[in-house]
Amino acid sequence: MEIRRLAGAIGAEVTGLDLRRPLAAAQTAELRRVWLEHGVIVLPGQMLSSDEFMAFAATIGTPVEYPFVKGLDGWPTIIEVKKLEHERVNFGGVWHSDTAYLEQPPMATLLLAREVPPHGGDTLFASQTAAYEALSEGMQRLLAGLRCVNSSAKADTSRTREDRIAEAGRSERRVYGAEHPAVRLHPETGRRALYMNVAHTVQFAGLTEEESAPLLRFLHEHQRKEEFTCRVRWAPGTLALWDNRSTQHYPINDYHGFRRVMHRITLAGDVPRAV
């Protein structure tokens, strides 16, 4: 196993593993350690079948179904994330951590590239641990007492799901909502991370949307500062695993007229804990 950092705050590329075969216990433990340290890991050249993809995901956590889009036939916890040649809006095309509107948001997400455009379609990741640690002590104290109201119905993110829901949506169309601490304590590393995002966070609990807006605007701009980020460039078989408890991501929508097809698995998480 060889490890190469992608940027200063987040991200590492891991080579030397063939995930078509079961990993030894020591390899799995080391891979998890690297993932927790770097927030997102990228493993190129993993041309996995759906069975192999599921088997690897199960070594990291427990796969769970996505609430809005049905999974692939035979693999209900693998969803297809795609943008077709005629489409202009991409799936999840806004800075976010996955499904923060659930009471128990996923611990992690795995994304496996199946088809990629000839250019563009990269994904940016941002360390919310680094973003938190860069705040002043006064701001950290203020946020420690706040909780965020999150909703699946926020316009920016619901718009990016429309094509996939129309194509493979679930028969039930419900709105999900949950309150979570503005700063969450990572259950494995013990580090603090910002836990609000522009896609799902509506306001702070106990404050109106209007009152919440200035602070949320500052935080959203702070969360995606370049020094907290890395960029992942995809090729067929590239597999990324990211920690949904301490990172955000943003799929760049710069490949109109081309197809991009990815397979995604999310892993069950816990209820976010306050600091």
Side-chain angles (χ1 to χ4, degrees):
M1 189 188 305
E2 296 183 1
I3 302 160
R4 180 183 67 85
R5 295 184 70 149
L6 296 180
I10 186 174
E13 182 183 80
V14 178
T15 55
L17 295 177
D18 184 353
L19 300 182
R20 293 173 298 178
R21 301 177 179 85
L23 299 180
Q27 290 177 309
T28 301
E30 176 64 5
L31 193 65
R32 191 178 192 88
R33 184 196 67 77
V34 173
W35 167 59
L36 290 172
E37 177 183 351
H38 295 284
V40 56
I41 56 174
V42 179
L43 300 99
Q46 305 295 333
M47 306 301 290
L48 307 179
S49 68
S50 293
D51 281 337
E52 291 163 344
F53 187 28
M54 279 294 302
F56 172 66
T59 68
I60 306 298
T62 302
V64 292
E65 294 185 29
Y66 179 63
F68 289 102
V69 178
K70 291 183 293 187
L72 302 179
D73 289 343
W75 295 279
T77 54
I78 302 178
I79 70 163
E80 196 164 65
V81 175
K82 65 185 178 183
K83 180 187 170 199
L84 303 179
E85 292 87 341
H86 66 280
E87 294 175 338
R88 303 293 291 181
V89 178
N90 63 336
F91 186 97
V94 62
W95 275 105
H96 65 288
S97 52
D98 287 327
T99 55
Y101 45 77
L102 298 178
E103 291 293 337
Q104 292 184 228
M107 170 188 77
T109 303
L110 300 95
L111 196 63
L112 177 60
R114 297 299 193 189
E115 299 179 52
V116 300
H119 55 262
D122 299 348
T123 302
L124 301 179
F125 291 87
S127 169
Q128 297 310 291
T129 302
Y132 171 78
E133 292 172 351
L135 292 172
S136 67
E137 291 183 4
M139 180 59 75
Q140 291 176 356
R141 286 194 299 271
L142 171 64
L143 294 176
L146 295 178
R147 294 180 63 83
C148 295
V149 177
N150 301 283
S151 173
S152 64
K154 228 185 149 189
D156 282 348
T157 190
S158 58
R159 182 173 62 93
T160 70
R161 292 191 297 250
E162 287 176 359
D163 289 320
R164 299 292 73 81
I165 290 176
E167 177 187 66
R170 298 184 178 278
S171 55
E172 290 184 18
R173 296 289 294 274
R174 57 174 288 192
V175 172
Y176 295 84
E179 278 189 23
H180 296 306
V183 179
R184 70 178 295 181
L185 189 67
H186 196 290
E188 295 187 72
T189 68
R191 298 178 72 184
R192 294 168 171 83
L194 293 178
Y195 198 64
M196 70 286 295
N197 71 85
V198 69
H200 305 140
T201 304
V202 178
Q203 64 199 81
F204 293 107
L207 301 180
T208 66
E209 290 188 40
E210 186 177 16
E211 291 167 338
S212 303
L215 180 53
L216 284 174
R217 184 166 54 249
F218 163 78
L219 290 167
H220 294 328
E221 292 175 358
H222 175 76
Q223 287 174 292
R224 58 178 182 257
K225 284 183 176 178
E226 287 84 351
E227 57 264 38
F228 309 143
T229 68
C230 72
R231 177 185 289 257
V232 172
R233 293 179 169 87
W234 302 94
T238 299
L239 172 62
L241 165 66
W242 64 87
D243 193 330
N244 202 52
R245 303 163 293 189
S246 60
T247 72
Q248 288 192 25
H249 59 284
Y250 172 64
I252 302 173
N253 189 20
D254 60 349
Y255 53 97
H256 298 321
F258 297 101
R259 176 189 295 259
R260 182 180 184 268
V261 180
M262 323 288 275
H263 284 177
R264 189 181 91 168
I265 298 174
T266 53
L267 303 179
D270 58 353
V271 176
R273 291 173 50 204
V275 175

